[in-house]
Amino acid sequence: MLPEITPQQLKERLDQQEPLQLIDVREPQEWDICHLGGQLIPLGDLPKAAATLDKDKVTVLICHHGFRSAQALMFLQQRHGFTQLLNLKGGVHAWAQEVDPNFPVY
């Protein structure tokens, strides 16, 4: 079972200004439609960008529906020893449905 965070839990933590590292693993054209902030690192670029990430910060991985971000989580966990990772359950699509009805969907 992958460690997950629901959109509502993420909103609460962002509202409390917790120092989270948000990593969006979608493609640039998807990011241009909508994003939650953080850093865009497309899944294919993650292997070369992993060393630039802060292992000590709680890191939330984000994608469209939660599948690519789950792959990113497993990669960072297994190949780079990250331990503080959370997958945004349902991705930005779930964020739009559960947190912000005005958030763009595609």
Side-chain angles (χ1 to χ4, degrees):
M1 179 100 177
L2 289 178
E4 292 183 319
I5 187 169
T6 67
Q8 189 58 47
Q9 290 168 329
L10 177 58
K11 182 184 182 330
E12 290 166 11
R13 291 175 82 162
L14 291 172
D15 287 348
Q16 294 168 6
Q17 298 183 344
E18 283 191 38
L20 300 172
Q21 180 171 228
L22 302 179
I23 305 298
D24 193 318
V25 298
R26 296 176 301 147
E27 295 299 314
Q29 60 272 24
E30 293 175 284
W31 169 274
D32 290 343
I33 296 168
C34 61
H35 60 84
L36 298 175
Q39 187 177 356
L40 173 65
I41 304 175
L43 186 59
D45 296 339
L46 194 58
K48 62 184 172 217
T52 67
L53 302 177
D54 187 345
K55 278 188 179 182
D56 298 324
K57 267 192 176 171
V58 173
T59 301
V60 179
L61 295 151
I62 301 165
C63 72
H64 190 200
H65 287 288
F67 299 110
R68 283 176 283 176
S69 52
Q71 290 179 301
L73 186 146
M74 291 183 352
F75 172 78
L76 291 172
Q77 203 173 51
Q78 294 170 358
R79 298 281 180 95
H80 293 275
F82 281 73
T83 58
Q84 298 192 65
L85 299 170
L86 295 168
N87 186 38
L88 179 60
K89 186 176 183 177
V92 293
H93 188 79
W95 177 274
Q97 291 182 317
E98 299 172 25
V99 174
D100 182 359
N102 296 315
F103 195 77
V105 293
Y106 62 98

